[in-house]
Structure formats: structure tokens, C-alpha cells
Amino acid sequence: MKVSTTINCSLDNLKLVRDFIRKALTETVDCPISTNEIILALDEMCSNLIIHAHSEKPQDKIQLSIEFLEQKKIIFEIIDEGEPFDITTFQEPDLISLIHGKRKGGLGIRLVKKIMNEIEYFRVEGKNICRLTKVVNG
């Protein structure tokens, strides 16, 4: 089964993303902790795209699809046409530097990488595709 939604690039629409994911996962994921981790990861990815790749331009769009495979494997795809950003090559800031520098931000991608089992990024015909795979236990 595969479901998808498209949102405009406004931070106000992140609630729509979270609600869409929660609804899609209700029949497949029995563990509330896993559900909340997945929502956190995708909320982070979408908010980064909205802010950094699209400069919060509401006329721009992000498409999110969720595909449910066998053995509790779920594939999330985020497709957009904003500035390219390859999460797989992003060098996470050192935690000590973040703490001592009192810098805001820099932890979201680290969380996404911890939560998801696999992350892929590629471009096809001017579109950025970020594919996140999660195998859930409950």
C-alpha cells in the first residue's frame, strides 16, 4: 500500500505532515514510541526543506509518500524541487562544539540518521528525492 500528500512550503503545514504520518501509521505500527520517532524524523526533514531549500515560499511544494512493504518495512519519500541538499553527505557538527558554542540547530539530521534504518538521496529530472527507510518492530 502507498499513500501520499503534497503540502505548500509553509511551516504552518508541518501539522498536516505530522497528522498525515500518524494516520498512515495507525494500522501498521503498534508502538507509539516508534510512531513518534518517525514523525519527529520526517517533521525535521520537511521543516529543513521548507526553511533552507524553499525559503518558506508557500507557492513551492513538497510531496511526501509512504509505502508499506512486507515485514514492517516502511519507505518514506520526500520529493521537492528546491535547492539540493544531500543528507547522506552532510557532516554533522561535533556535539562538544555545539554545546560550547551555544549554537542552536545542528541536531536534527543526527536524530534522523539515528531513527531511520537507511537514507538515500538522489536527483531525477530536477527533483530532489530523499528516501528514508524504517523497519519497525511494533
Side-chain angles (χ1 to χ4, degrees):
M1 177 179 88
K2 187 173 185 176
V3 295
S4 65
T5 189
T6 301
I7 64 158
N8 293 354
C9 290
S10 167
L11 291 175
D12 294 337
N13 290 330
L14 289 174
K15 182 180 182 333
L16 298 173
V17 169
R18 293 188 298 270
D19 291 345
F20 169 74
I21 298 163
R22 187 174 307 283
K23 183 178 178 187
L25 297 179
T26 53
E27 294 184 24
T28 308
V29 181
D30 298 327
C31 176
I33 293 172
S34 293
T35 297
N36 288 328
E37 286 177 344
I38 291 167
I39 291 169
L40 175 65
L42 289 161
D43 182 87
E44 178 64 26
M45 291 299 297
C46 290
S47 65
N48 280 346
L49 283 175
I50 289 168
I51 294 167
H52 301 295
H54 293 275
S55 302
E56 297 184 59
K57 295 178 194 158
Q59 68 272 20
D60 291 359
K61 298 188 182 304
I62 293 173
Q63 180 184 348
L64 171 62
S65 66
I66 305 172
E67 184 174 10
F68 298 92
L69 304 176
E70 293 179 14
Q71 294 154 356
K72 302 274 186 173
K73 185 175 184 178
I74 308 170
I75 297 176
F76 303 89
E77 274 192 355
I78 304 169
I79 302 171
D80 76 299
E81 296 179 11
E83 291 294 318
F85 174 73
D86 185 349
I87 184 175
T88 62
T89 62
F90 177 74
Q91 293 299 311
E92 299 154 2
D94 177 57
L95 283 177
I96 302 301
S97 299
L98 284 174
I99 293 167
H100 290 297
K102 298 180 183 174
R103 184 178 150 215
K104 292 182 182 178
L107 295 175
I109 291 176
R110 182 182 301 267
L111 280 172
V112 173
K113 289 181 174 182
K114 288 261 187 224
I115 292 168
M116 294 298 174
N117 297 103
E118 186 179 343
I119 300 172
E120 300 170 86
Y121 173 86
F122 49 96
R123 284 183 56 84
V124 176
E125 297 175 0
K127 295 184 182 201
N128 306 302
I129 302 171
C130 183
R131 184 176 294 147
L132 307 150
T133 303
K134 179 71 176 173
V135 178
V136 292
N137 298 322

